[in-house]
Amino acid sequence: MDNSLKECLILGNGKSLLDIPEFMLRTYPSFGVNYCFYQPTFYVCVDHEILTEHSEDIYYFARNADFAFLAAKEKGTSRLYDLPNVRLIAGDKSVFAKEHFFSGMTVTYVCLKLAYYFGFETVHLWGVDHSPTWEHYRGDYPQDKVDSREQRMAEMIYHYQLAAKVYNKAGRKIINHSYPSKLDAIFERGKEM
């Protein structure tokens, strides 16, 4: 990876991911999550069900990433954790110490923390649609079994606000290119490309 790059992509799995200009995928390092549609530079997964029951579905993405960041609490549940590029992640006791959950109830929050610690100054969000319908970029994307979706989304908002405060304090930016949502009140809106 070119250390002079100051910008990166965080690729969620919402429908707006399909709108990302291809040149951005070729230009910037990326954080991809869960069931990616594109091989990311950095792979991130903290989802219990994916890591314990669907690890083979994500093995290729984790293996081929520069680093694969996986939830420490699931260590030993699959051969994913035997990969030499795996780094374990857990709660933050430093800059993001006010988090309620290490995952922020969304893996894209974890990506924001990682991008911060990697030193990226500008983060572009694509596919982070924050939709109560949880529509994904592909129709056969496995559906989450969440009973308290409204409460979970409120926790996501709290953690996104925490990330925005941390970035703003450091003079860094998070730019949202995803579909319009409540996140527009938290992050700068991306311009049409």
Side-chain angles (χ1 to χ4, degrees):
M1 182 177 80
D2 180 352
N3 289 330
S4 66
L5 289 175
K6 301 290 186 193
E7 299 185 43
C8 72
L9 309 174
I10 292 179
L11 308 173
N13 288 317
K15 281 190 170 187
S16 68
L17 185 60
L18 298 173
D19 298 336
I20 187 170
E22 194 171 317
F23 83 88
M24 292 192 83
L25 293 170
R26 290 190 312 267
T27 304
Y28 300 109
S30 60
F31 291 84
V33 303
N34 300 342
Y35 301 104
C36 304
F37 92 115
Y38 176 83
Q39 178 60 54
T41 313
F42 309 107
Y43 177 76
V44 186
C45 185
V46 296
D47 185 278
H48 168 78
E49 185 174 331
I50 295 172
L51 289 170
T52 61
E53 298 177 30
H54 302 283
S55 62
E56 290 304 312
D57 296 339
I58 61 172
Y59 187 85
Y60 173 85
F61 293 112
R63 183 190 73 202
N64 293 311
D66 289 357
F67 292 106
F69 296 94
L70 307 178
K73 66 182 181 157
E74 307 301 346
K75 183 179 179 184
T77 59
S78 75
R79 68 185 185 121
L80 281 171
Y81 287 88
D82 297 330
L83 291 169
N85 63 336
V86 165
R87 302 298 181 268
L88 302 179
I89 50 178
D92 191 305
K93 305 285 188 249
S94 183
V95 179
F96 295 87
K98 292 185 178 180
E99 64 189 18
H100 295 164
F101 303 96
F102 91 96
S103 69
M105 295 294 170
T106 174
V107 68
T108 51
Y109 167 74
V110 176
C111 293
L112 286 167
K113 292 191 297 183
L114 291 167
Y116 181 87
Y117 287 123
F118 268 89
F120 290 109
E121 294 177 4
T122 302
V123 174
H124 298 274
L125 302 177
W126 289 86
V128 185
D129 297 344
H130 196 70
S131 165
T133 62
W134 290 21
E135 293 183 75
H136 293 87
Y137 71 90
R138 65 181 221 215
D140 67 340
Y141 195 96
Q143 293 300 309
D144 202 358
K145 302 171 193 158
V146 176
D147 295 327
S148 56
R149 189 167 287 172
E150 190 174 310
Q151 181 182 357
R152 185 169 174 183
M153 290 188 76
E155 281 294 338
M156 289 177 191
I157 290 289
Y158 169 82
H159 288 87
Y160 284 137
Q161 289 169 334
L162 174 60
K165 287 176 189 172
V166 168
Y167 273 73
N168 290 338
K169 185 176 181 181
R172 301 184 195 181
K173 294 194 302 187
I174 301 169
I175 302 173
N176 184 21
H177 300 273
S178 306
Y179 291 155
S181 71
K182 290 182 179 181
L183 299 186
D184 291 335
I186 302 169
F187 303 129
E188 179 181 330
R189 187 90 192 116
K191 300 189 179 18
E192 292 291 323
M193 300 197 154

